[in-house]
Amino acid sequence: MSQKSLPAVFMRGGTSKALMVHPRDLPENRDDWAPIFLAAMGSPDPYGRQLDGMGGGVSSLSKVCIIGPSTHPDADVDYTFAQVQVKDARVDYRGNCGNMSSAVGPYAVDQGLVKATGTSTTVRIHNTNTQKIIHSTFATQDGATVYGGDLEIPGVGGTGSPIKLDFVEPGGATTGKLLPTGRVLDTLEIPGLGQLEVSMVDAANATVFVRAKDIGLTGLELPDEVESRPELLKLLNEIRIRASVAMGIAPDLESARTTTSVPFIGFVSPAADNPTLSGDSVPAKDIDLVARVMSNGQPHRALPLTVSLCTAVAARMTGTVVSQMLSSDTPAQGALRLGMPSGVLTVGADVVQEEGEWKALAGSFYRTARMLFDGRVWVPASTMPKA
């Protein structure tokens, strides 16, 4: 088998990793991208390990980011996110990855797409998946990104330099509406369960939220426990499928079965002592609510950053199942502390209600990132179209 290579950078962004590529190094026809990305990641892999590629066997490690010059007047770069499925031969462009968004600004500076502006640089990112703008602010020195620092984020060993991400007007990223159905609370008919109250919210990424107790969970389950229960995974997938149609993401149930990247599924519960993957437990007093998320059919080992923002937005909208999880003494303003499998994620969400309509003005986080290699990734020559 002959092979070809293309320039690529491999980076960690938050709690995810991805190949970073420039569109000039890809075929002009975007339909030709999928075979390249699948081969680079090692998909499809029936064993779920992606040993023949750069992927790591879980959705958070099977990603590609395409970054190039901006086509938007309010941005410096365009950023397209590709979620590569692990076991299936499918690449999904329907949503954004907030964690990998933290690597886009540093990549743009270090690859010469954006010029650093002293000791701190802000890169305005146009995410083409959601048509939303993200401002990424991080430390720079001598024209390059500073990766070393003291910020520790849950789920990542070691520390790094803080990267501030500001999501501008994140509402309607997937569907065009913050509340796709126009309501903060809906009821879905779920096979084998019956009627289930849900909140379907679209901020940074579309998410359907359910109360953990309504699906027989405490909300404190860790990913391995969730993944070991096939009947639970089937139930959660049925919720996702029906929410997809209700939110207008998919036209029918059959189409919804193949559109796995959105909506995400979040099950939430009140603050409690939160067990983590490290074996520690975060006391309830340090948490405002507990959240677990399904991403591409797998329980996420932390929280997708965009879904964290969506959770915080939902929590600030009176009447959602998420807001119902907040205790009476939770401050009405300010950042929220989300308990999740890797610890606590603090999320700021600016939400207002004007003339009866909810609006998400902004959301912000701090992440870290690191460049892991800069070189060439090899794929079978058959995946590359002939010149």
Side-chain angles (χ1 to χ4, degrees):
M1 178 183 67
S2 61
Q3 296 197 99
K4 289 186 176 181
S5 67
L6 66 151
V9 171
F10 196 50
M11 294 187 73
R12 176 184 64 81
T15 55
S16 293
K17 290 195 289 189
L19 275 178
M20 321 288 281
V21 296
H22 194 294
R24 70 186 171 213
D25 298 314
L26 294 170
E28 185 175 346
N29 187 347
R30 187 163 128 167
D31 292 340
D32 293 328
W33 292 3
I36 299 170
F37 296 163
L38 288 164
M41 287 291 105
S43 295
D45 184 355
Y47 302 101
R49 300 182 66 189
Q50 295 177 306
L51 289 178
D52 202 35
M54 299 298 302
V58 294
S59 63
S60 60
L61 307 179
S62 186
K63 304 172 183 284
V64 179
C65 301
I66 305 94
I67 301 103
S70 179
T71 57
H72 195 289
D74 297 326
D76 302 306
V77 293
D78 275 0
Y79 152 51
T80 300
F81 170 67
Q83 179 68 61
V84 181
Q85 302 302 312
V86 176
K87 293 185 177 181
D88 301 324
R90 191 168 70 253
V91 178
D92 202 318
Y93 300 96
R94 290 296 298 268
N96 179 26
C97 175
N99 274 293
M100 284 314 305
S101 297
S102 64
V104 173
Y107 171 91
V109 166
D110 293 342
Q111 294 295 310
L113 290 169
V114 176
K115 186 176 181 180
T117 55
T119 59
S120 178
T121 298
T122 297
V123 176
R124 302 171 304 162
I125 301 165
H126 171 221
N127 176 241
T128 66
N129 307 77
T130 61
Q131 302 302 315
K132 295 295 182 179
I133 301 295
I134 306 165
H135 293 171
S136 175
T137 304
F138 50 95
T140 50
Q141 183 177 352
D142 299 328
T145 301
V146 175
Y147 291 102
D150 298 326
L151 178 63
E152 181 178 357
I153 62 173
V156 178
T159 61
S161 181
I163 299 168
K164 185 172 187 264
L165 294 176
D166 293 301
F167 286 72
V168 181
E169 297 181 354
T174 304
T175 66
K177 297 179 181 179
L178 176 61
L179 292 172
T181 68
R183 297 176 293 273
V184 295
L185 203 62
D186 283 280
T187 301
L188 296 177
E189 186 69 31
I190 307 299
L193 182 67
Q195 292 193 334
L196 176 68
E197 276 195 326
V198 303
S199 291
M200 293 177 281
V201 183
D202 181 5
N205 254 328
T207 308
V208 51
F209 295 101
V210 304
R211 303 179 192 92
K213 67 177 183 179
D214 290 350
I215 54 174
L217 301 175
T218 66
L220 301 172
E221 290 81 4
L222 292 176
D224 287 347
E225 180 180 352
V226 174
E227 200 155 33
S228 70
R229 297 172 58 180
E231 76 289 347
L232 174 60
L233 296 177
K234 182 179 178 181
L235 172 63
L236 290 167
N237 192 44
E238 290 296 335
I239 296 170
R240 180 194 65 77
I241 289 169
R242 278 148 183 82
S244 180
V245 175
M247 298 173 85
I249 295 170
D252 51 52
L253 297 180
E254 191 58 36
S255 298
R257 294 184 190 281
T258 61
T259 306
T260 58
S261 63
V262 285
F264 289 80
I265 313 167
F267 48 98
V268 292
S269 54
D273 292 345
N274 180 65
T276 69
L277 291 169
S278 67
D280 297 327
S281 179
V282 180
K285 66 180 180 62
D286 295 333
I287 295 170
D288 293 309
L289 65 94
V290 175
R292 302 289 191 261
V293 168
M294 296 294 293
S295 172
N296 287 278
Q298 296 177 311
H300 203 282
R301 302 185 76 79
L303 281 183
L305 205 64
T306 50
V307 180
S308 302
L309 173 56
C310 195
T311 305
V313 168
R316 293 306 190 193
M317 293 192 291
T318 306
T320 67
V321 297
V322 185
S323 70
Q324 295 170 15
M325 298 301 107
L326 298 177
S327 63
S328 58
D329 59 355
T330 302
Q333 301 293 329
L336 289 171
R337 302 165 300 171
L338 309 181
M340 45 91 169
S342 293
V344 176
L345 183 61
T346 301
V347 188
D350 188 2
V351 182
V352 297
Q353 190 176 29
E354 298 177 351
E355 300 180 353
E357 182 179 354
W358 289 102
K359 295 182 179 180
L361 303 181
S364 59
F365 315 84
Y366 282 93
R367 300 273 86 185
T368 62
R370 189 166 80 86
M371 184 183 294
L372 303 176
F373 81 62
D374 181 353
R376 303 183 71 86
V377 62
W378 290 83
V379 296
S382 60
T383 65
M384 300 283 282
K386 295 180 179 179

